[in-house]
Amino acid sequence: MSLTVRIDPHVHSDASYDGTDPVELLLEQAAEIGLDAVVVTDHDVIHESVRAAELAPQYGLVGIPGVEVSTADGHLLALGIEEMPPRRASMAETAAWVRERGGTSIVPHPFQRSRHGVRKRRLQGVEPDAIEVYNSWAFTGWKNRRARRYAEAYGYPGVAGSDAHKVGYVGRAYTEIGIDGVSRAELTADVILSAISDGATHVEGRRTPIPTSARHYAGAGARKSSFYAKYGAYRSGALAKMGALSAARTLYRVSPLSQ
């Protein structure tokens, strides 16, 4: 029995300084386009990723927490952990820290200095679990091809990630993982991350992550509008309720009953 799992391991929520959408929308989009898991990897904060991992089963997804941490040598994805790695340590030290806690470290967009990718000379000796060889935000394919060549030369598994900062971009690049001897009901974060480290990966960098799901990208905008409409109504109601309570407290304070 062989199971094919599709995961986008590099996505940002509104907890990132440059992200725009809440984790609920990211999870909904991932489920709609047929992914099995999505990892929220915000910049140097992990609280929303942990929450997303807890919510994921409600969307039919496997929950995997993670973070994109700023090391002294460039950015590093730390998957499968629930606490922040030390910031500004060397990438080698950070990867070792992640490994000691049972997590998986992936080098995102290597060699892309404008996006805090690690330099080649700094990457040697790091020993990550995988290299991101396809990032959908690369302006040209050259850096992706360079990352792929490096991974192949040094024997690292290659993964693909969308690096989405908006809900409509989730899954534009994703990783297929072949896992033997596991049913979908038995699929866990540890099983997926172990398979990545073992190199059972296949990179997909198409504009649409699954051929039959193109229509869902157009639906992402509608879902976003619907979500914020509901959220706005909730906030308006909550604020109105707070206003009524505040007015009641004020009336009580000035009434004889409060004396």
Side-chain angles (χ1 to χ4, degrees):
M1 178 177 60
S2 181
L3 183 66
T4 298
V5 176
R6 297 177 177 90
I7 174 176
D8 187 344
H10 190 178
V11 170
H12 295 272
S13 79
D14 56 4
S16 285
Y17 69 90
D18 51 358
T20 63
D21 297 309
V23 297
E24 289 87 350
L25 272 179
L26 304 180
L27 293 169
E28 185 175 358
Q29 175 72 353
E32 284 287 334
I33 63 174
L35 295 177
D36 298 292
V38 61
V39 188
V40 175
T41 51
D42 290 318
H43 292 292
D44 296 316
V45 292
I46 201 170
H47 61 284
E48 281 300 276
S49 183
V50 172
R51 189 169 74 87
E54 294 172 350
L55 291 173
Q58 299 179 24
Y59 296 82
L61 303 171
V62 177
I64 305 175
V67 64
E68 184 168 6
V69 59
S70 299
T71 78
D73 304 307
H75 287 178
L76 182 72
L77 300 180
L79 276 54
I81 60 170
E82 295 188 355
E83 59 179 312
M84 269 297 301
R87 291 186 62 192
R88 302 302 177 188
S90 72
M91 185 172 287
E93 292 172 334
T94 307
W97 186 97
V98 173
R99 188 178 305 110
E100 289 168 0
R101 286 155 180 79
T104 297
S105 61
I106 300 174
V107 178
H109 42 72
F111 320 132
Q112 298 182 35
R113 294 304 299 153
S114 61
R115 303 174 63 208
H116 307 286
V118 64
R119 295 179 185 274
K120 183 177 179 178
R121 61 184 176 84
R122 295 281 189 177
L123 182 52
Q124 294 176 355
V126 170
E127 298 184 5
D129 294 291
I131 302 287
E132 186 181 69
V133 299
Y134 191 100
N135 180 291
S136 66
W137 279 103
F139 289 115
T140 68
W142 181 67
K143 290 294 176 66
N144 281 334
R145 290 192 296 271
R146 185 181 176 195
R148 185 189 292 269
R149 288 195 299 269
Y150 183 92
E152 291 174 349
Y154 289 90
Y156 290 113
V159 302
S162 68
D163 201 358
H165 288 69
K166 295 181 179 181
V167 64
Y169 294 96
V170 171
R172 284 205 170 184
Y174 66 99
T175 304
E176 281 192 352
I177 308 166
I179 303 176
D180 295 327
V182 175
S183 68
R184 194 162 296 276
E186 298 170 322
L187 194 61
T188 65
D190 288 340
V191 169
I192 292 175
L193 296 180
S194 293
I196 290 176
S197 298
D198 291 341
T201 59
H202 177 69
V203 170
E204 292 290 345
R206 295 189 295 262
R207 299 295 288 177
T208 303
I210 297 172
T212 59
S213 67
R215 65 184 182 279
H216 293 297
Y217 282 117
R223 285 192 290 277
K224 183 173 181 177
S225 298
S226 175
F227 175 88
Y228 283 112
K230 293 176 183 176
Y231 183 72
Y234 165 78
R235 289 289 296 165
S236 296
L239 290 173
K241 184 176 180 180
M242 290 175 61
L245 290 173
S246 177
R249 293 192 188 100
T250 301
L251 288 173
Y252 176 78
R253 284 196 298 270
V254 300
S255 73
L257 295 174
S258 64
Q259 303 304 316

